[in-house]
PDB file of all heavy atoms in Angstrom:
ATOM      1  N   GLY A 202      45.502  15.605   1.272  1.00 88.00           N
ATOM      2  CA  GLY A 202      44.753  14.366   1.136  1.00 88.00           C
ATOM      3  C   GLY A 202      45.534  13.148   0.709  1.00 88.00           C
ATOM      4  O   GLY A 202      44.942  12.074   0.527  1.00 88.00           O
ATOM      5  N   GLY A 203      46.845  13.262   0.538  1.00 90.00           N
ATOM      6  CA  GLY A 203      47.640  12.098   0.176  1.00 90.00           C
ATOM      7  C   GLY A 203      47.645  11.062   1.292  1.00 90.00           C
ATOM      8  O   GLY A 203      47.589  11.413   2.472  1.00 90.00           O
ATOM      9  N   ASP A 204      47.707   9.810   0.911  1.00 95.00           N
ATOM     10  CA  ASP A 204      47.651   8.740   1.905  1.00 95.00           C
ATOM     11  C   ASP A 204      48.351   7.517   1.330  1.00 95.00           C
ATOM     12  O   ASP A 204      47.773   6.770   0.542  1.00 95.00           O
ATOM     13  CB  ASP A 204      46.196   8.424   2.245  1.00 95.00           C
ATOM     14  CG  ASP A 204      46.041   7.443   3.403  1.00 95.00           C
ATOM     15  OD1 ASP A 204      46.952   6.624   3.612  1.00 95.00           O
ATOM     16  OD2 ASP A 204      44.997   7.500   4.078  1.00 95.00           O
ATOM     17  N   LYS A 205      49.600   7.299   1.714  1.00 96.00           N
ATOM     18  CA  LYS A 205      50.379   6.200   1.154  1.00 96.00           C
ATOM     19  C   LYS A 205      49.868   4.835   1.590  1.00 96.00           C
ATOM     20  O   LYS A 205      49.985   3.853   0.848  1.00 96.00           O
ATOM     21  CB  LYS A 205      51.855   6.376   1.497  1.00 96.00           C
ATOM     22  CG  LYS A 205      52.493   7.595   0.833  1.00 96.00           C
ATOM     23  CD  LYS A 205      53.975   7.642   1.096  1.00 96.00           C
ATOM     24  CE  LYS A 205      54.602   8.907   0.519  1.00 96.00           C
ATOM     25  NZ  LYS A 205      54.420   9.047  -0.937  1.00 96.00           N
ATOM     26  N   VAL A 206      49.319   4.745   2.799  1.00 97.00           N
ATOM     27  CA  VAL A 206      48.776   3.476   3.260  1.00 97.00           C
ATOM     28  C   VAL A 206      47.550   3.094   2.436  1.00 97.00           C
ATOM     29  O   VAL A 206      47.414   1.952   1.975  1.00 97.00           O
ATOM     30  CB  VAL A 206      48.434   3.541   4.761  1.00 97.00           C
ATOM     31  CG1 VAL A 206      47.701   2.285   5.207  1.00 97.00           C
ATOM     32  CG2 VAL A 206      49.704   3.740   5.587  1.00 97.00           C
ATOM     33  N   LYS A 207      46.667   4.052   2.237  1.00 97.00           N
ATOM     34  CA  LYS A 207      45.483   3.779   1.415  1.00 97.00           C
ATOM     35  C   LYS A 207      45.883   3.508  -0.029  1.00 97.00           C
ATOM     36  O   LYS A 207      45.278   2.665  -0.704  1.00 97.00           O
ATOM     37  CB  LYS A 207      44.516   4.963   1.480  1.00 97.00           C
ATOM     38  CG  LYS A 207      43.205   4.703   0.740  1.00 97.00           C
ATOM     39  CD  LYS A 207      42.227   5.860   0.897  1.00 97.00           C
ATOM     40  CE  LYS A 207      40.933   5.577   0.155  1.00 97.00           C
ATOM     41  NZ  LYS A 207      39.965   6.714   0.278  1.00 97.00           N
ATOM     42  N   ALA A 208      46.914   4.205  -0.512  1.00 97.00           N
ATOM     43  CA  ALA A 208      47.386   3.984  -1.882  1.00 97.00           C
ATOM     44  C   ALA A 208      47.819   2.542  -2.072  1.00 97.00           C
ATOM     45  O   ALA A 208      47.511   1.907  -3.087  1.00 97.00           O
ATOM     46  CB  ALA A 208      48.540   4.931  -2.196  1.00 97.00           C
ATOM     47  N   ARG A 209      48.541   2.007  -1.090  1.00 98.00           N
ATOM     48  CA  ARG A 209      48.983   0.612  -1.195  1.00 98.00           C
ATOM     49  C   ARG A 209      47.782  -0.336  -1.233  1.00 98.00           C
ATOM     50  O   ARG A 209      47.765  -1.290  -2.018  1.00 98.00           O
ATOM     51  CB  ARG A 209      49.898   0.262  -0.031  1.00 98.00           C
ATOM     52  CG  ARG A 209      50.408  -1.173  -0.086  1.00 98.00           C
ATOM     53  CD  ARG A 209      51.138  -1.545   1.189  1.00 98.00           C
ATOM     54  NE  ARG A 209      51.499  -2.956   1.202  1.00 98.00           N
ATOM     55  CZ  ARG A 209      51.885  -3.605   2.281  1.00 98.00           C
ATOM     56  NH1 ARG A 209      51.968  -2.977   3.452  1.00 98.00           N
ATOM     57  NH2 ARG A 209      52.190  -4.880   2.216  1.00 98.00           N
ATOM     58  N   ALA A 210      46.783  -0.082  -0.405  1.00 98.00           N
ATOM     59  CA  ALA A 210      45.600  -0.942  -0.399  1.00 98.00           C
ATOM     60  C   ALA A 210      44.894  -0.905  -1.752  1.00 98.00           C
ATOM     61  O   ALA A 210      44.440  -1.938  -2.265  1.00 98.00           O
ATOM     62  CB  ALA A 210      44.650  -0.513   0.718  1.00 98.00           C
ATOM     63  N   LEU A 211      44.809   0.280  -2.348  1.00 97.00           N
ATOM     64  CA  LEU A 211      44.151   0.402  -3.647  1.00 97.00           C
ATOM     65  C   LEU A 211      44.929  -0.301  -4.749  1.00 97.00           C
ATOM     66  O   LEU A 211      44.345  -0.974  -5.610  1.00 97.00           O
ATOM     67  CB  LEU A 211      43.961   1.879  -4.003  1.00 97.00           C
ATOM     68  CG  LEU A 211      42.860   2.630  -3.264  1.00 97.00           C
ATOM     69  CD1 LEU A 211      42.898   4.117  -3.621  1.00 97.00           C
ATOM     70  CD2 LEU A 211      41.489   2.051  -3.606  1.00 97.00           C
ATOM     71  N   VAL A 212      46.246  -0.130  -4.740  1.00 97.00           N
ATOM     72  CA  VAL A 212      47.030  -0.759  -5.807  1.00 97.00           C
ATOM     73  C   VAL A 212      47.039  -2.280  -5.636  1.00 97.00           C
ATOM     74  O   VAL A 212      47.058  -3.025  -6.625  1.00 97.00           O
ATOM     75  CB  VAL A 212      48.456  -0.168  -5.868  1.00 97.00           C
ATOM     76  CG1 VAL A 212      49.404  -0.809  -4.869  1.00 97.00           C
ATOM     77  CG2 VAL A 212      49.027  -0.299  -7.276  1.00 97.00           C
ATOM     78  N   LYS A 213      46.965  -2.748  -4.393  1.00 97.00           N
ATOM     79  CA  LYS A 213      46.830  -4.189  -4.170  1.00 97.00           C
ATOM     80  C   LYS A 213      45.507  -4.687  -4.746  1.00 97.00           C
ATOM     81  O   LYS A 213      45.439  -5.745  -5.380  1.00 97.00           O
ATOM     82  CB  LYS A 213      46.910  -4.513  -2.683  1.00 97.00           C
ATOM     83  CG  LYS A 213      46.891  -6.005  -2.363  1.00 97.00           C
ATOM     84  CD  LYS A 213      47.110  -6.238  -0.881  1.00 97.00           C
ATOM     85  CE  LYS A 213      47.246  -7.736  -0.570  1.00 97.00           C
ATOM     86  NZ  LYS A 213      46.021  -8.488  -0.869  1.00 97.00           N
ATOM     87  N   SER A 214      44.437  -3.918  -4.544  1.00 97.00           N
ATOM     88  CA  SER A 214      43.141  -4.275  -5.127  1.00 97.00           C
ATOM     89  C   SER A 214      43.220  -4.293  -6.650  1.00 97.00           C
ATOM     90  O   SER A 214      42.597  -5.141  -7.303  1.00 97.00           O
ATOM     91  CB  SER A 214      42.066  -3.294  -4.667  1.00 97.00           C
ATOM     92  OG  SER A 214      41.833  -3.399  -3.277  1.00 97.00           O
ATOM     93  N   ALA A 215      43.996  -3.351  -7.225  1.00 95.00           N
ATOM     94  CA  ALA A 215      44.157  -3.329  -8.681  1.00 95.00           C
ATOM     95  C   ALA A 215      44.800  -4.618  -9.171  1.00 95.00           C
ATOM     96  O   ALA A 215      44.355  -5.209 -10.163  1.00 95.00           O
ATOM     97  CB  ALA A 215      44.991  -2.126  -9.099  1.00 95.00           C
ATOM     98  N   THR A 216      45.851  -5.088  -8.483  1.00 94.00           N
ATOM     99  CA  THR A 216      46.493  -6.341  -8.911  1.00 94.00           C
ATOM    100  C   THR A 216      45.524  -7.513  -8.809  1.00 94.00           C
ATOM    101  O   THR A 216      45.528  -8.410  -9.667  1.00 94.00           O
ATOM    102  CB  THR A 216      47.748  -6.636  -8.073  1.00 94.00           C
ATOM    103  OG1 THR A 216      47.393  -6.845  -6.700  1.00 94.00           O
ATOM    104  CG2 THR A 216      48.752  -5.498  -8.168  1.00 94.00           C
ATOM    105  N   GLU A 217      44.693  -7.498  -7.792  1.00 94.00           N
ATOM    106  CA  GLU A 217      43.726  -8.586  -7.617  1.00 94.00           C
ATOM    107  C   GLU A 217      42.683  -8.566  -8.726  1.00 94.00           C
ATOM    108  O   GLU A 217      42.272  -9.624  -9.240  1.00 94.00           O
ATOM    109  CB  GLU A 217      43.068  -8.469  -6.244  1.00 94.00           C
ATOM    110  CG  GLU A 217      44.035  -8.738  -5.091  1.00 94.00           C
ATOM    111  CD  GLU A 217      43.478  -8.332  -3.739  1.00 94.00           C
ATOM    112  OE1 GLU A 217      42.409  -7.668  -3.723  1.00 94.00           O
ATOM    113  OE2 GLU A 217      44.089  -8.662  -2.717  1.00 94.00           O
ATOM    114  N   GLU A 218      42.233  -7.378  -9.098  1.00 91.00           N
ATOM    115  CA  GLU A 218      41.235  -7.284 -10.163  1.00 91.00           C
ATOM    116  C   GLU A 218      41.835  -7.647 -11.514  1.00 91.00           C
ATOM    117  O   GLU A 218      41.179  -8.283 -12.341  1.00 91.00           O
ATOM    118  CB  GLU A 218      40.643  -5.868 -10.201  1.00 91.00           C
ATOM    119  CG  GLU A 218      39.816  -5.507  -8.983  1.00 91.00           C
ATOM    120  CD  GLU A 218      38.603  -6.403  -8.797  1.00 91.00           C
ATOM    121  OE1 GLU A 218      38.092  -6.930  -9.808  1.00 91.00           O
ATOM    122  OE2 GLU A 218      38.172  -6.598  -7.649  1.00 91.00           O
ATOM    123  N   PHE A 219      43.090  -7.233 -11.767  1.00 90.00           N
ATOM    124  CA  PHE A 219      43.746  -7.671 -12.997  1.00 90.00           C
ATOM    125  C   PHE A 219      43.836  -9.195 -13.025  1.00 90.00           C
ATOM    126  O   PHE A 219      43.585  -9.831 -14.047  1.00 90.00           O
ATOM    127  CB  PHE A 219      45.160  -7.089 -13.081  1.00 90.00           C
ATOM    128  CG  PHE A 219      45.230  -5.708 -13.689  1.00 90.00           C
ATOM    129  CD1 PHE A 219      45.756  -4.642 -12.969  1.00 90.00           C
ATOM    130  CD2 PHE A 219      44.808  -5.481 -14.987  1.00 90.00           C
ATOM    131  CE1 PHE A 219      45.851  -3.381 -13.532  1.00 90.00           C
ATOM    132  CE2 PHE A 219      44.901  -4.219 -15.568  1.00 90.00           C
ATOM    133  CZ  PHE A 219      45.428  -3.167 -14.829  1.00 90.00           C
ATOM    134  N   ALA A 220      44.215  -9.793 -11.884  1.00 87.00           N
ATOM    135  CA  ALA A 220      44.431 -11.236 -11.826  1.00 87.00           C
ATOM    136  C   ALA A 220      43.162 -12.032 -12.090  1.00 87.00           C
ATOM    137  O   ALA A 220      43.216 -13.101 -12.702  1.00 87.00           O
ATOM    138  CB  ALA A 220      45.013 -11.617 -10.462  1.00 87.00           C
ATOM    139  N   ARG A 221      42.035 -11.516 -11.658  1.00 84.00           N
ATOM    140  CA  ARG A 221      40.796 -12.264 -11.861  1.00 84.00           C
ATOM    141  C   ARG A 221      40.127 -11.941 -13.197  1.00 84.00           C
ATOM    142  O   ARG A 221      39.043 -12.441 -13.486  1.00 84.00           O
ATOM    143  CB  ARG A 221      39.823 -12.024 -10.711  1.00 84.00           C
ATOM    144  CG  ARG A 221      39.244 -10.620 -10.599  1.00 84.00           C
ATOM    145  CD  ARG A 221      38.084 -10.584  -9.594  1.00 84.00           C
ATOM    146  NE  ARG A 221      38.452 -11.130  -8.307  1.00 84.00           N
ATOM    147  CZ  ARG A 221      38.696 -10.392  -7.221  1.00 84.00           C
ATOM    148  NH1 ARG A 221      38.623  -9.067  -7.281  1.00 84.00           N
ATOM    149  NH2 ARG A 221      39.000 -10.960  -6.084  1.00 84.00           N
ATOM    150  N   GLY A 222      40.786 -11.099 -14.010  1.00 76.00           N
ATOM    151  CA  GLY A 222      40.224 -10.783 -15.317  1.00 76.00           C
ATOM    152  C   GLY A 222      38.943  -9.998 -15.208  1.00 76.00           C
ATOM    153  O   GLY A 222      37.937 -10.340 -15.827  1.00 76.00           O
ATOM    154  N   ASN A 223      38.986  -8.946 -14.427  1.00 58.00           N
ATOM    155  CA  ASN A 223      37.788  -8.146 -14.161  1.00 58.00           C
ATOM    156  C   ASN A 223      37.078  -7.757 -15.454  1.00 58.00           C
ATOM    157  O   ASN A 223      37.679  -7.147 -16.338  1.00 58.00           O
ATOM    158  CB  ASN A 223      38.189  -6.883 -13.388  1.00 58.00           C
ATOM    159  CG  ASN A 223      36.997  -6.106 -12.881  1.00 58.00           C
ATOM    160  OD1 ASN A 223      36.063  -5.838 -13.615  1.00 58.00           O
ATOM    161  ND2 ASN A 223      37.031  -5.744 -11.617  1.00 58.00           N
ATOM    162  N   PRO A 224      35.807  -8.115 -15.596  1.00 50.00           N
ATOM    163  CA  PRO A 224      35.089  -7.803 -16.835  1.00 50.00           C
ATOM    164  C   PRO A 224      34.840  -6.319 -17.038  1.00 50.00           C
ATOM    165  O   PRO A 224      34.418  -5.902 -18.113  1.00 50.00           O
ATOM    166  CB  PRO A 224      33.761  -8.563 -16.669  1.00 50.00           C
ATOM    167  CG  PRO A 224      33.583  -8.693 -15.195  1.00 50.00           C
ATOM    168  CD  PRO A 224      34.968  -8.851 -14.627  1.00 50.00           C
ATOM    169  N   ALA A 225      35.098  -5.511 -15.999  1.00 49.00           N
ATOM    170  CA  ALA A 225      34.919  -4.066 -16.154  1.00 49.00           C
ATOM    171  C   ALA A 225      35.984  -3.456 -17.051  1.00 49.00           C
ATOM    172  O   ALA A 225      35.832  -2.345 -17.549  1.00 49.00           O
ATOM    173  CB  ALA A 225      34.954  -3.379 -14.778  1.00 49.00           C
ATOM    174  N   VAL A 226      37.092  -4.176 -17.269  1.00 51.00           N
ATOM    175  CA  VAL A 226      38.161  -3.656 -18.119  1.00 51.00           C
ATOM    176  C   VAL A 226      37.748  -3.795 -19.573  1.00 51.00           C
ATOM    177  O   VAL A 226      37.293  -4.850 -20.001  1.00 51.00           O
ATOM    178  CB  VAL A 226      39.479  -4.422 -17.880  1.00 51.00           C
ATOM    179  CG1 VAL A 226      40.584  -3.879 -18.768  1.00 51.00           C
ATOM    180  CG2 VAL A 226      39.873  -4.342 -16.421  1.00 51.00           C
ATOM    181  N   ALA A 227      37.936  -2.731 -20.326  1.00 46.00           N
ATOM    182  CA  ALA A 227      37.581  -2.767 -21.743  1.00 46.00           C
ATOM    183  C   ALA A 227      38.377  -3.854 -22.446  1.00 46.00           C
ATOM    184  O   ALA A 227      39.586  -3.974 -22.259  1.00 46.00           O
ATOM    185  CB  ALA A 227      37.858  -1.406 -22.382  1.00 46.00           C
ATOM    186  N   GLY A 228      37.698  -4.645 -23.250  1.00 42.00           N
ATOM    187  CA  GLY A 228      38.324  -5.791 -23.895  1.00 42.00           C
ATOM    188  C   GLY A 228      39.547  -5.420 -24.712  1.00 42.00           C
ATOM    189  O   GLY A 228      39.523  -4.492 -25.506  1.00 42.00           O
ATOM    190  N   GLY A 229      40.637  -6.143 -24.484  1.00 41.00           N
ATOM    191  CA  GLY A 229      41.847  -5.946 -25.266  1.00 41.00           C
ATOM    192  C   GLY A 229      42.739  -4.823 -24.791  1.00 41.00           C
ATOM    193  O   GLY A 229      43.842  -4.674 -25.277  1.00 41.00           O
ATOM    194  N   ARG A 230      42.268  -4.037 -23.839  1.00 50.00           N
ATOM    195  CA  ARG A 230      43.078  -2.900 -23.400  1.00 50.00           C
ATOM    196  C   ARG A 230      43.885  -3.324 -22.175  1.00 50.00           C
ATOM    197  O   ARG A 230      43.536  -3.029 -21.055  1.00 50.00           O
ATOM    198  CB  ARG A 230      42.183  -1.702 -23.116  1.00 50.00           C
ATOM    199  CG  ARG A 230      41.580  -1.178 -24.412  1.00 50.00           C
ATOM    200  CD  ARG A 230      40.649  -0.002 -24.208  1.00 50.00           C
ATOM    201  NE  ARG A 230      40.419   0.660 -25.474  1.00 50.00           N
ATOM    202  CZ  ARG A 230      39.556   0.245 -26.392  1.00 50.00           C
ATOM    203  NH1 ARG A 230      38.839  -0.817 -26.174  1.00 50.00           N
ATOM    204  NH2 ARG A 230      39.415   0.899 -27.528  1.00 50.00           N
ATOM    205  N   GLY A 231      45.005  -4.031 -22.444  1.00 61.00           N
ATOM    206  CA  GLY A 231      45.723  -4.692 -21.371  1.00 61.00           C
ATOM    207  C   GLY A 231      46.887  -3.929 -20.786  1.00 61.00           C
ATOM    208  O   GLY A 231      47.909  -4.527 -20.486  1.00 61.00           O
ATOM    209  N   TRP A 232      46.796  -2.634 -20.674  1.00 80.00           N
ATOM    210  CA  TRP A 232      47.918  -1.910 -20.072  1.00 80.00           C
ATOM    211  C   TRP A 232      47.706  -1.764 -18.566  1.00 80.00           C
ATOM    212  O   TRP A 232      46.581  -1.760 -18.084  1.00 80.00           O
ATOM    213  CB  TRP A 232      48.082  -0.523 -20.722  1.00 80.00           C
ATOM    214  CG  TRP A 232      47.012   0.488 -20.395  1.00 80.00           C
ATOM    215  CD1 TRP A 232      45.846   0.696 -21.090  1.00 80.00           C
ATOM    216  CD2 TRP A 232      47.017   1.428 -19.323  1.00 80.00           C
ATOM    217  NE1 TRP A 232      45.123   1.699 -20.506  1.00 80.00           N
ATOM    218  CE2 TRP A 232      45.818   2.176 -19.414  1.00 80.00           C
ATOM    219  CE3 TRP A 232      47.905   1.715 -18.282  1.00 80.00           C
ATOM    220  CZ2 TRP A 232      45.500   3.186 -18.510  1.00 80.00           C
ATOM    221  CZ3 TRP A 232      47.584   2.731 -17.383  1.00 80.00           C
ATOM    222  CH2 TRP A 232      46.388   3.447 -17.518  1.00 80.00           C
ATOM    223  N   GLY A 233      48.810  -1.678 -17.851  1.00 87.00           N
ATOM    224  CA  GLY A 233      48.732  -1.316 -16.437  1.00 87.00           C
ATOM    225  C   GLY A 233      48.982  -2.426 -15.445  1.00 87.00           C
ATOM    226  O   GLY A 233      49.294  -2.145 -14.290  1.00 87.00           O
ATOM    227  N   GLU A 234      48.892  -3.700 -15.864  1.00 88.00           N
ATOM    228  CA  GLU A 234      49.000  -4.771 -14.880  1.00 88.00           C
ATOM    229  C   GLU A 234      50.410  -4.869 -14.307  1.00 88.00           C
ATOM    230  O   GLU A 234      50.598  -4.952 -13.088  1.00 88.00           O
ATOM    231  CB  GLU A 234      48.586  -6.113 -15.481  1.00 88.00           C
ATOM    232  CG  GLU A 234      48.575  -7.230 -14.456  1.00 88.00           C
ATOM    233  CD  GLU A 234      48.029  -8.537 -15.001  1.00 88.00           C
ATOM    234  OE1 GLU A 234      47.884  -8.664 -16.233  1.00 88.00           O
ATOM    235  OE2 GLU A 234      47.746  -9.436 -14.188  1.00 88.00           O
ATOM    236  N   GLY A 235      51.406  -4.873 -15.181  1.00 86.00           N
ATOM    237  CA  GLY A 235      52.778  -4.932 -14.690  1.00 86.00           C
ATOM    238  C   GLY A 235      53.131  -3.740 -13.827  1.00 86.00           C
ATOM    239  O   GLY A 235      53.827  -3.864 -12.805  1.00 86.00           O
ATOM    240  N   GLU A 236      52.638  -2.565 -14.213  1.00 89.00           N
ATOM    241  CA  GLU A 236      52.883  -1.357 -13.421  1.00 89.00           C
ATOM    242  C   GLU A 236      52.243  -1.451 -12.042  1.00 89.00           C
ATOM    243  O   GLU A 236      52.825  -1.021 -11.043  1.00 89.00           O
ATOM    244  CB  GLU A 236      52.345  -0.132 -14.164  1.00 89.00           C
ATOM    245  CG  GLU A 236      53.137   0.205 -15.407  1.00 89.00           C
ATOM    246  CD  GLU A 236      52.278   0.319 -16.645  1.00 89.00           C
ATOM    247  OE1 GLU A 236      51.527  -0.638 -16.925  1.00 89.00           O
ATOM    248  OE2 GLU A 236      52.363   1.328 -17.331  1.00 89.00           O
ATOM    249  N   ALA A 237      51.044  -2.026 -11.992  1.00 93.00           N
ATOM    250  CA  ALA A 237      50.369  -2.168 -10.701  1.00 93.00           C
ATOM    251  C   ALA A 237      51.195  -3.037  -9.759  1.00 93.00           C
ATOM    252  O   ALA A 237      51.371  -2.716  -8.573  1.00 93.00           O
ATOM    253  CB  ALA A 237      48.976  -2.756 -10.894  1.00 93.00           C
ATOM    254  N   TRP A 238      51.739  -4.138 -10.277  1.00 92.00           N
ATOM    255  CA  TRP A 238      52.570  -5.007  -9.439  1.00 92.00           C
ATOM    256  C   TRP A 238      53.857  -4.301  -9.019  1.00 92.00           C
ATOM    257  O   TRP A 238      54.324  -4.455  -7.892  1.00 92.00           O
ATOM    258  CB  TRP A 238      52.884  -6.304 -10.182  1.00 92.00           C
ATOM    259  CG  TRP A 238      51.759  -7.285 -10.151  1.00 92.00           C
ATOM    260  CD1 TRP A 238      50.932  -7.626 -11.184  1.00 92.00           C
ATOM    261  CD2 TRP A 238      51.321  -8.057  -9.031  1.00 92.00           C
ATOM    262  NE1 TRP A 238      50.006  -8.553 -10.773  1.00 92.00           N
ATOM    263  CE2 TRP A 238      50.220  -8.841  -9.459  1.00 92.00           C
ATOM    264  CE3 TRP A 238      51.735  -8.157  -7.700  1.00 92.00           C
ATOM    265  CZ2 TRP A 238      49.545  -9.721  -8.607  1.00 92.00           C
ATOM    266  CZ3 TRP A 238      51.069  -9.034  -6.852  1.00 92.00           C
ATOM    267  CH2 TRP A 238      49.986  -9.800  -7.311  1.00 92.00           C
ATOM    268  N   TYR A 239      54.434  -3.525  -9.941  1.00 90.00           N
ATOM    269  CA  TYR A 239      55.642  -2.776  -9.584  1.00 90.00           C
ATOM    270  C   TYR A 239      55.368  -1.817  -8.428  1.00 90.00           C
ATOM    271  O   TYR A 239      56.103  -1.748  -7.443  1.00 90.00           O
ATOM    272  CB  TYR A 239      56.197  -1.994 -10.786  1.00 90.00           C
ATOM    273  CG  TYR A 239      57.135  -0.904 -10.345  1.00 90.00           C
ATOM    274  CD1 TYR A 239      58.405  -1.214  -9.870  1.00 90.00           C
ATOM    275  CD2 TYR A 239      56.729   0.428 -10.330  1.00 90.00           C
ATOM    276  CE1 TYR A 239      59.249  -0.225  -9.408  1.00 90.00           C
ATOM    277  CE2 TYR A 239      57.567   1.410  -9.871  1.00 90.00           C
ATOM    278  CZ  TYR A 239      58.828   1.091  -9.416  1.00 90.00           C
ATOM    279  OH  TYR A 239      59.657   2.070  -8.950  1.00 90.00           O
ATOM    280  N   TRP A 240      54.288  -1.047  -8.537  1.00 93.00           N
ATOM    281  CA  TRP A 240      53.995  -0.062  -7.494  1.00 93.00           C
ATOM    282  C   TRP A 240      53.611  -0.733  -6.185  1.00 93.00           C
ATOM    283  O   TRP A 240      53.909  -0.205  -5.105  1.00 93.00           O
ATOM    284  CB  TRP A 240      52.914   0.912  -7.972  1.00 93.00           C
ATOM    285  CG  TRP A 240      53.473   1.891  -8.950  1.00 93.00           C
ATOM    286  CD1 TRP A 240      53.264   1.930 -10.292  1.00 93.00           C
ATOM    287  CD2 TRP A 240      54.394   2.941  -8.652  1.00 93.00           C
ATOM    288  NE1 TRP A 240      53.990   2.939 -10.854  1.00 93.00           N
ATOM    289  CE2 TRP A 240      54.685   3.582  -9.875  1.00 93.00           C
ATOM    290  CE3 TRP A 240      54.990   3.402  -7.485  1.00 93.00           C
ATOM    291  CZ2 TRP A 240      55.563   4.666  -9.954  1.00 93.00           C
ATOM    292  CZ3 TRP A 240      55.860   4.481  -7.556  1.00 93.00           C
ATOM    293  CH2 TRP A 240      56.140   5.107  -8.782  1.00 93.00           C
ATOM    294  N   LEU A 241      52.980  -1.897  -6.253  1.00 95.00           N
ATOM    295  CA  LEU A 241      52.714  -2.629  -5.022  1.00 95.00           C
ATOM    296  C   LEU A 241      54.030  -3.043  -4.363  1.00 95.00           C
ATOM    297  O   LEU A 241      54.180  -2.948  -3.132  1.00 95.00           O
ATOM    298  CB  LEU A 241      51.857  -3.863  -5.307  1.00 95.00           C
ATOM    299  CG  LEU A 241      51.526  -4.733  -4.083  1.00 95.00           C
ATOM    300  CD1 LEU A 241      50.790  -3.925  -3.005  1.00 95.00           C
ATOM    301  CD2 LEU A 241      50.709  -5.957  -4.492  1.00 95.00           C
ATOM    302  N   ALA A 242      54.998  -3.473  -5.172  1.00 93.00           N
ATOM    303  CA  ALA A 242      56.319  -3.830  -4.622  1.00 93.00           C
ATOM    304  C   ALA A 242      56.983  -2.621  -3.974  1.00 93.00           C
ATOM    305  O   ALA A 242      57.484  -2.703  -2.844  1.00 93.00           O
ATOM    306  CB  ALA A 242      57.209  -4.396  -5.728  1.00 93.00           C
ATOM    307  N   ARG A 243      56.963  -1.527  -4.667  1.00 92.00           N
ATOM    308  CA  ARG A 243      57.622  -0.325  -4.143  1.00 92.00           C
ATOM    309  C   ARG A 243      56.949   0.160  -2.859  1.00 92.00           C
ATOM    310  O   ARG A 243      57.624   0.453  -1.870  1.00 92.00           O
ATOM    311  CB  ARG A 243      57.598   0.770  -5.201  1.00 92.00           C
ATOM    312  CG  ARG A 243      58.197   2.075  -4.738  1.00 92.00           C
ATOM    313  CD  ARG A 243      58.471   2.987  -5.896  1.00 92.00           C
ATOM    314  NE  ARG A 243      58.852   4.314  -5.453  1.00 92.00           N
ATOM    315  CZ  ARG A 243      59.321   5.257  -6.254  1.00 92.00           C
ATOM    316  NH1 ARG A 243      59.498   4.995  -7.538  1.00 92.00           N
ATOM    317  NH2 ARG A 243      59.640   6.456  -5.800  1.00 92.00           N
TER     318      ARG A 243
END
């Protein structure tokens, strides 16, 4: 079930949600944004 193309689309969505300050993220728990951009680059 691995899918690198779909993985890229999902991680791109993650960067977009981080960028817009998605209210679904628990307040103050700011880990993962830099990693999301790194994996999108890779």
Side-chain angles (χ1 to χ4, degrees):
D204 187 333
K205 294 186 184 301
V206 173
K207 185 176 180 181
R209 181 189 174 195
L211 285 174
V212 83
K213 185 174 186 296
S214 294
T216 64
E217 292 167 350
E218 293 299 332
F219 274 121
R221 68 169 53 105
N223 189 311
V226 180
R230 292 179 164 81
W232 71 270
E234 185 174 13
E236 291 127 307
W238 281 107
Y239 162 73
W240 285 107
L241 179 58
R243 177 165 171 170

